[in-house]
């Protein structure tokens, strides 16, 4: 019985895709002049489930086995064509790999992303639940030509425009994307309002660094002063920025949302250290009923999230105006230094 259940989606898929074929080949099972037009599985007035059951019942064990693999063999006596369903559209329909190429007998098809195992559950509420999962893309989805520009042998994060090297991850890569990092879909819509966040914060220096100005590193780059404090000289314990965000579900159905907080250091620090222009510093998932509001409270660790690594890998907290981006919101936090002794 288990095997039958697994076969059903495959057969439905094969029959459905076969229907879009053109004249050059033998007619498909249920097409006019096809070998199965009088059989129940071709009768459109019957429920899909009965049609699938009828078709499966007509298959021999050997035929079923040959249909279980991606290069499914055809069953000519029933007019079922062979089908290469490698491109199951989990990652979009692509023209790579052994899957279907459009053109010729298959000028096109409507492909729905499907997971064979999930389809085999025949559990509609499970599908509904999967559709409602509010995920965010945890990677950057690069266009195809990225592969040529970023060879496997070069793992440098920072972009090198002079050499055509695009950089890696959303923190350093600024070129076109198929889907950006953090991308996600939802059946509903959310808006953000800032309920609480400081506008400024002082970084305290630790131990003997507290009495010397040398911990504050001010360098001039392109006429701008980039000042920063080494993380190793800062008192990091408890140094965090509390951010409270109200998430409103402005759609007409319940949904879950992931609040992503990105921090951008002062522009001078980005220029001085080739630092990432933004980085994800906090995220929190929340379920909000339709029309409702939920408050999300997050603490951003300053030494970790608001510091940048210079080219030697030394982590520094840039002094000055940092900005936090949360969805459509932007908030500025100015970091200063306490107890400089100057
Ligand atoms: C179907 O999926 C739901 C989750 O949405 C689960 O709670 C339920 O037990 C599943 N039903 C069956 C028959 O497996
Ligand atoms: C200040 O920054 C410059 C450039 O990053 C570096 O060469 C220098 O060693 C730094 N000085 C201190 C005290 O950290």
């Amino acid at each position: 019985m288990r095997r039958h259940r697994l076969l059903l989606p495959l057969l439905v898929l094969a029959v459905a895709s076969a229907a879009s074929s053109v004249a050059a080949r033998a007619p498909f099972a249920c097409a006019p002049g096809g070998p199965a037009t009088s059989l129940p599985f071709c009768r459109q007035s019957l429920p899909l489930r009965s049609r699938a059951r009828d078709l499966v019942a007509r298959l021999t064990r050997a035929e079923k086995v040959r249909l279980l693999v991606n290069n499914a063999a055809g069953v000519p006596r029933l007019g079922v064509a062979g089908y290469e369903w490698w491109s199951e559209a989990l990652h979009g329909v692509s023209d790579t790999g052994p899957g279907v190429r459009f053109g010729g007998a298959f000028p096109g098809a409507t492909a729905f992303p499907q997971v064979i195992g999930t389809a085999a559950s025949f559990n509609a509420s499970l599908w509904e639940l999967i559709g409602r999962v509010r995920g965010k893309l945890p990677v950057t989805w690069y266009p195809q030509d990225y592969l040529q520009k970023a060879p496997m042998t070069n793992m440098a994060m920072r972009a090198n425009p002079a050499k055509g090297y695009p950089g890696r991850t959303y923190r350093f890569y600024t070129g076109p994307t198929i889907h950006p990092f953090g991308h996600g879909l939802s059946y509903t819509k959310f808006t953000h309002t800032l309920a609480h966040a400081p506008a400024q914060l002082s970084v305290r220096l630790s131990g003997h660094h507290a009495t010397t100005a040398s911990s504050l590193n001010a360098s001039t780059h392109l006429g701008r002063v980039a000042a920063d404090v080494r993380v190793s000289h800062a008192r990091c314990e408890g140094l965090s920025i509390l951010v409270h965000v109200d998430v409103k579900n402005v759609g007409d159905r319940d949904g879950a949302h992931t609040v992503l907080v990105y921090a951008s250091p002062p522009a001078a620090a980005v220029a001085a250290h080739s630092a990432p222009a933004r980085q994800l510093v906090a995220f929190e998932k929340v379920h909000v009923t339709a029309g409702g509001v939920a408050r999300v409270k997050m603490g951003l660790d300053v030494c970790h999230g608001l510091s940048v690594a210079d080219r030697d890998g030394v982590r520094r907290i840039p002094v000055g105006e940092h900005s936090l981006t949360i969805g459509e919101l932007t908030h500025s936090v100015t970091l200063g230094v306490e107890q400089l002794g100057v």
Side-chain angles (χ1 to χ4, degrees), residues 52-132:
R53 189 176 289 131
D54 176 66
L55 174 54
V56 172
R58 289 171 194 282
L59 299 171
T60 66
R61 180 170 298 172
E63 284 165 348
K64 286 173 189 165
V65 168
R66 286 200 299 266
L67 283 165
L68 280 174
V69 286
N70 60 282
N71 56 346
V75 185
R77 66 188 175 85
L78 293 173
V80 174
Y83 188 71
E84 173 57 85
W85 45 269
W86 183 275
S87 293
E88 80 281 57
L90 276 181
H91 313 283
V93 177
S94 79
D95 219 19
T96 58
V100 165
R101 303 290 162 107
F102 296 130
F106 288 97
T110 303
F112 296 95
Q114 42 87 25
V115 191
I116 300 299
T118 318
S121 76
F122 280 81
N123 183 336
S125 72
L126 177 66
W127 277 100
E128 167 91 22
L129 201 71
I130 291 169
R132 275 204 251 139

Side-chain angles (χ1 to χ4, degrees), residues 219-226 267-268 270-272:
S219 59
T220 307
H221 185 88
L222 300 172
R224 291 162 115 161
V225 176
V270 174

Side-chain angles (χ1 to χ4, degrees), residues 200-278:
Q200 52 198 37
L201 197 80
S202 282
V203 177
R204 290 173 70 198
L205 300 173
S206 62
H208 69 279
H209 301 296
T211 57
T212 152
S214 67
S215 290
L216 181 70
N217 187 343
S219 59
T220 307
H221 185 88
L222 300 172
R224 291 162 115 161
V225 176
D228 56 63
V229 175
R230 282 180 185 228
V231 167
S232 59
H233 294 185
R235 277 197 210 178
C236 293
E237 231 177 79
L239 187 61
S240 70
I241 295 178
L242 294 178
V243 176
H244 297 181
V245 180
D246 285 339
V247 177
K248 180 161 192 194
N249 182 344
V250 295
D252 56 10
R253 62 175 91 188
D254 301 355
H257 178 57
T258 307
V259 179
L260 303 177
V261 183
Y262 292 95
S264 300
V270 174
H273 304 298
S274 296
R278 63 182 191 128

Side-chain angles (χ1 to χ4, degrees), residues 147-158:
L147 288 178
Q148 275 85 56
K149 295 177 190 159
M152 284 296 284
T153 46
N154 187 352
M155 285 291 153
M157 302 300 283
R158 288 170 164 83

